[in-house]
Amino acid sequence: MTQSTDAPARFRVPFVDPRKAYRDYKDEIDAAIADCLENGDLIHRRQLFDFERDLAAYTGARYAVGLASGYHALFFALLAAKVGPGDEVVTVAHTFAASISAIVHTGATPVLVDVADDFNMNVDAFEAALTEKTKAVIPVHLNGRSCDMERIMKIADARGIAVIEDACQALGATFRGKMCGSFATGCFSFYPFKALGCYGDGGALITDDEAVAKMAVRLRYNGEDRQTGEFHYHGYSALLDNLHASVLGAKLRHFPAWVEHRRALADRYRAGLVGVPGLGLPHFEGAEYRDSYQNYAIRSDRRDDLRAHLSKSGIETIVSWAKPVWEHKALGLGSPDLPETLRICRAVLSLPMSSETTPEQVDLVIDAIRSFPR
Ligand SMILES: Cc1ncc(COP(=O)(O)O)c(C=O)c1O
C-alpha cells in the first residue's frame, strides 16, 4: 500500500491517519527517539537489541532479527534455507510482489498457486504443485489471517521442504493459539502502514533456529560477525535502524491492545454490513483462527462503483490488488490459471482499518455502504 499524501485532510475517514497515530502516542515516541539521539545510538545499538528481545517474547520465538524490510526477512530466510538456482519455491500469486521477488533474487523459480476464499494459500493447490525440485514454501498470512499452518507444516515436514512464513501482514494473528510467524521462519514488515509500523522501511525475521538467526544477523551487516570482525558472506546493508527500532519498541507495548481494537472494529463492520446484497465479508470459518485484521478486505460485485461512491462520501479505500501479479509482464511470471485470485482482483476492497480508526468512523463507512444504490 502506498500513501496518498493528503488523505487525512481530504477524507472524513482516511484509510490510515499517520498524524493521529503519532499524536496519540507522541510523548512515548518522542522519548524513544530522544533516547537514541541523546545517547548517539544510531546503528546496531541497545534500542535494536531491546526491540528484538521484546519481539521474540511477544511472538514466542527464540530469536528475532531486526532487518531493513519485510523483503529482506523473506530473502534472508530463503538464503538460510539454502534456496538457490534450480530450486522451486511454492507461494501464492495473491500477495505483494516482494514475496515473489525474494524467491527470484535467490535464483530459484517461484511456483504460483491459487488461494482459497479467505485469500490465503489453497493447501490442496500447494500439495498439487510439489515436484522433485520444490525446496521451500512461502505461505502468506494475508490481511492478518493465518494460513492453515497445521496442514502446511504436515505436508512440508513429510517432504522435507523448508517453510518460510510471510507474516508481513499478520503480526499478532494466531492459529491454534500460536503466533503467525512462529511455526517456522517468520517474516514481518514494519512499513509505516502495517499494524506495527515505523517511520520508513523496517522488518524482522523470527526463528527458533540459532543458525538461521546467526546467518541473518551477519547478512544484514554485510556478512560480518560483529563480535569477531570476520566476514562470513558477501552480505547486505540491511539493518533495522536504531531510531526505527526504538519507535517500534515503544509501540510494541501497546500492540496487543491495538489488535483487540482492530478485532472490535471488525466486529462492528460485521454487525453493520451483514446481509448487504452483493458484499462478502472477511469473517471466515474456524475457531482455531484469531485474525488480527491488518486489513478489513471485503468483496463487492460492483467494487469500482462502490469505491467511487465511498470516495464521494469522504471515505478512503484501497484495492489490493486489481491487477494479478503475473499480468505485470516485466516480472516474467508466465500465465498461471488461478481463478480465485482473478475473482478476488475484480472484487476486493479494503475499508479503513487501523489503530487510530474510531468506531464512529466505522459507522460512517457502514452508513455510506448501506446508502450505495443497488
Ligand atoms: C504480504 C507482504 N509480503 C511482503 C511485504 C514486504 O514488506 P516490506 O515492504 O517491508 O519489504 C509486504 C509489505 O508490504 C506484504 O504485505
Side-chain angles (χ1 to χ4, degrees):
M1 190 192 94
T2 48
Q3 180 177 20
S4 52
T5 46
D6 59 347
R10 267 198 310 126
F11 289 99
R12 277 194 304 166
V13 189
F15 190 71
V16 291
D17 188 345
R19 297 175 310 175
K20 181 169 187 299
Y22 169 58
R23 285 182 198 132
D24 285 351
Y25 296 92
K26 184 175 173 10
D27 290 349
E28 289 167 68
I29 290 167
D30 288 354
I33 292 172
D35 179 41
C36 292
L37 297 184
E38 281 169 8
N39 291 296
D41 289 337
L42 301 179
I43 294 283
H44 206 252
R45 288 284 178 90
R46 167 175 55 86
Q47 296 83 353
L48 170 63
F49 310 136
D50 287 354
F51 172 64
E52 291 175 330
R53 179 202 59 214
D54 294 348
L55 182 67
Y58 176 64
T59 55
R62 282 181 68 198
Y63 306 98
V65 181
L67 298 169
S69 70
Y71 163 78
H72 285 93
L74 291 161
F75 182 50
F76 291 175
L78 287 162
L79 294 181
K82 300 192 169 49
V83 170
D87 296 328
E88 291 178 353
V89 179
V90 180
T91 193
V92 289
H94 190 63
T95 181
F96 184 55
S99 322
I100 301 164
S101 303
I103 301 168
V104 171
H105 288 157
T106 66
T109 303
V111 176
L112 303 181
V113 298
D114 214 351
V115 287
D117 69 347
D118 69 352
F119 299 24
N120 279 341
M121 180 174 274
N122 178 325
V123 184
D124 293 334
F126 157 49
E127 208 166 7
L130 292 169
T131 72
E132 289 300 307
K133 292 183 179 171
T134 310
K135 189 76 176 266
V137 57
I138 303 183
V140 181
H141 308 298
L142 208 68
N143 296 325
R145 177 177 175 81
S146 179
C147 294
D148 181 344
M149 288 314 290
E150 185 167 289
R151 276 193 72 200
I152 289 172
M153 292 305 295
K154 205 180 265 176
I155 295 165
D157 286 349
R159 294 284 294 248
I161 293 164
V163 179
I164 291 152
E165 297 176 70
D166 183 337
C168 286
Q169 296 194 7
L171 182 64
T174 63
F175 179 79
R176 292 195 198 289
K178 195 168 158 54
M179 287 276 177
C180 279
S182 70
F183 289 85
T185 305
C187 304
F188 296 106
S189 168
F190 306 126
Y191 182 78
F193 307 116
K194 294 294 193 244
L196 181 69
C198 56
Y199 296 130
D201 282 318
L205 172 156
I206 62 167
T207 177
D208 287 340
D209 185 333
E210 190 181 355
V212 171
K214 210 176 223 178
M215 186 167 173
V217 163
R218 290 169 176 172
L219 283 172
R220 73 180 177 179
Y221 215 95
N222 297 98
E224 184 185 3
D225 183 323
R226 296 285 294 156
Q227 249 111 51
T228 63
E230 184 70 17
F231 283 80
H232 292 264
Y233 314 98
H234 287 288
Y236 304 82
S237 299
L239 262 172
L240 177 65
D241 295 325
N242 237 58
L243 277 175
H244 291 314
S246 72
V247 169
L248 290 166
K251 289 184 169 189
L252 185 60
R253 290 194 276 280
H254 298 281
F255 190 72
W258 293 349
V259 172
E260 293 315 310
H261 178 74
R262 285 171 179 270
R263 288 176 55 79
L265 294 185
D267 283 348
R268 200 170 183 99
Y269 272 129
R270 177 185 3 212
L273 295 175
V274 72
V276 174
L279 280 197
L281 303 180
H283 300 272
F284 307 104
E285 295 298 308
E288 59 273 51
Y289 295 85
R290 197 159 192 282
D291 300 358
S292 61
Y293 291 99
Q294 165 68 50
N295 297 306
Y296 193 82
I298 65 168
R299 296 198 202 202
S300 163
D301 59 356
R302 288 176 55 207
R303 190 263 314 281
D304 295 339
D305 292 342
L306 176 60
R307 187 168 194 222
H309 168 79
L310 291 175
S311 181
K312 259 191 238 142
S313 312
I315 292 159
E316 187 186 25
T317 57
I318 297 278
V319 174
S320 301
W321 297 268
K323 181 169 166 173
V325 69
W326 65 84
E327 285 187 7
H328 298 269
K329 288 300 170 197
L331 300 185
L333 297 172
S335 308
D337 178 23
L338 306 176
E340 188 64 23
T341 300
L342 280 177
R343 273 194 287 276
I344 292 173
C345 289
R346 284 195 287 265
V348 70
L349 186 67
S350 295
L351 304 180
M353 168 63 82
S354 69
S355 55
E356 62 274 9
T357 305
T358 64
E360 294 70 28
Q361 287 178 315
V362 166
D363 291 345
L364 289 173
V365 180
I366 292 168
D367 290 347
I369 291 177
R370 286 195 159 273
S371 72
F372 177 53
R374 298 285 315 170

